[in-house]
Amino acid sequence: MNYPAAMTRLARLDPTGVRQLPLNHLPWICMFHVSILGLIYGGTAAWLSRDMLLGQGLLKLTLAGIPVAFLMHAGAALFIWVFLKALGGNASFLTAYFTLGVAAISLWPVAPFLAMLQAQSPPGPAIIIVCGITGLYGLAVTAKMIQHAFELSFVRMVIALSVAVLYIGCFLYLWI
């Protein structure tokens, strides 16, 4: 199976196509997806704050989204791996890391709305709704990828992912 076909299946909540990709391609796909996620988020944040920056540093702020995306990706992978291992998941940390990285393609649509949500105070209801819908879609794709990679039952996956999302959400709330 080729990359576009596997990503199309993944977008339709069918992660089986990813397993058919060559194993040595997963790290590159992971890096590509997380980098693009960081560029989308950083670019939107830079565009929204262009008046504050007065044309200075727009490229730097756009590129700053990449390390932020990798930091969040690594943290989320670690938390999810810990909670899934506690419930009997049988995958290594790198499997969780690469799985989340491949699933990051589903978070591309939420990134600009998340940047808008953070930039506006108070955010408009349309931004909140669109951010919620795209975020739920990204979470659904990620959950299917995780369930497939860790070979967990649906109930165990939901429990572990719920605890991880709560923990990560609290962590992000304290960070922001």
Side-chain angles (χ1 to χ4, degrees), residues 26 29-34 73 77 95-106 108 145:
L26 289 183
I29 294 170
C30 169
M31 288 190 310
F32 174 70
H33 287 179
V34 175
H73 169 245
T95 301
Y97 185 83
F98 294 141
T99 298
L100 283 176
V102 171
I105 194 170
S106 66
W108 291 358
M145 275 291 289

Side-chain angles (χ1 to χ4, degrees), residues 64-77:
I66 295 173
V68 169
F70 273 100
L71 177 68
M72 299 303 294
H73 169 245

Side-chain angles (χ1 to χ4, degrees), residues 34-48:
V34 175
S35 295
I36 296 297
L37 178 64
L39 284 175
I40 293 169
Y41 177 79
T44 306
W47 182 73
L48 291 172

Side-chain angles (χ1 to χ4, degrees), residues 9-52:
R9 286 175 78 173
L10 181 61
R12 294 182 181 156
L13 298 173
D14 180 14
T16 56
V18 174
R19 200 168 272 223
Q20 296 174 6
L21 292 171
L23 195 57
N24 62 342
H25 289 173
L26 289 183
W28 296 106
I29 294 170
C30 169
M31 288 190 310
F32 174 70
H33 287 179
V34 175
S35 295
I36 296 297
L37 178 64
L39 284 175
I40 293 169
Y41 177 79
T44 306
W47 182 73
L48 291 172
S49 61
R50 69 185 182 281
D51 294 335
M52 283 179 26

Side-chain angles (χ1 to χ4, degrees), residues 44-155:
T44 306
W47 182 73
L48 291 172
S49 61
R50 69 185 182 281
D51 294 335
M52 283 179 26
L53 297 173
L54 300 173
Q56 301 296 323
L58 287 176
L59 181 61
K60 289 178 187 175
L61 187 59
T62 299
L63 294 177
I66 295 173
V68 169
F70 273 100
L71 177 68
M72 299 303 294
H73 169 245
L78 180 63
F79 289 133
I80 289 171
W81 175 71
V82 166
F83 293 124
L84 290 172
K85 266 312 232 192
L87 287 173
N90 60 356
S92 67
F93 171 73
L94 285 179
T95 301
Y97 185 83
F98 294 141
T99 298
L100 283 176
V102 171
I105 194 170
S106 66
L107 298 174
W108 291 358
V110 77
F113 298 108
L114 181 62
M116 287 180 214
L117 186 72
Q118 292 172 335
Q120 295 179 355
S121 71
I127 298 295
I128 293 171
I129 291 169
V130 173
C131 189
I133 291 170
T134 55
L136 285 174
Y137 171 73
L139 184 63
V141 170
T142 303
K144 290 297 277 186
M145 275 291 289
I146 289 169
Q147 182 182 11
H148 187 70
F150 278 82
E151 299 173 359
L152 286 174
S153 69
F154 180 76
V155 173

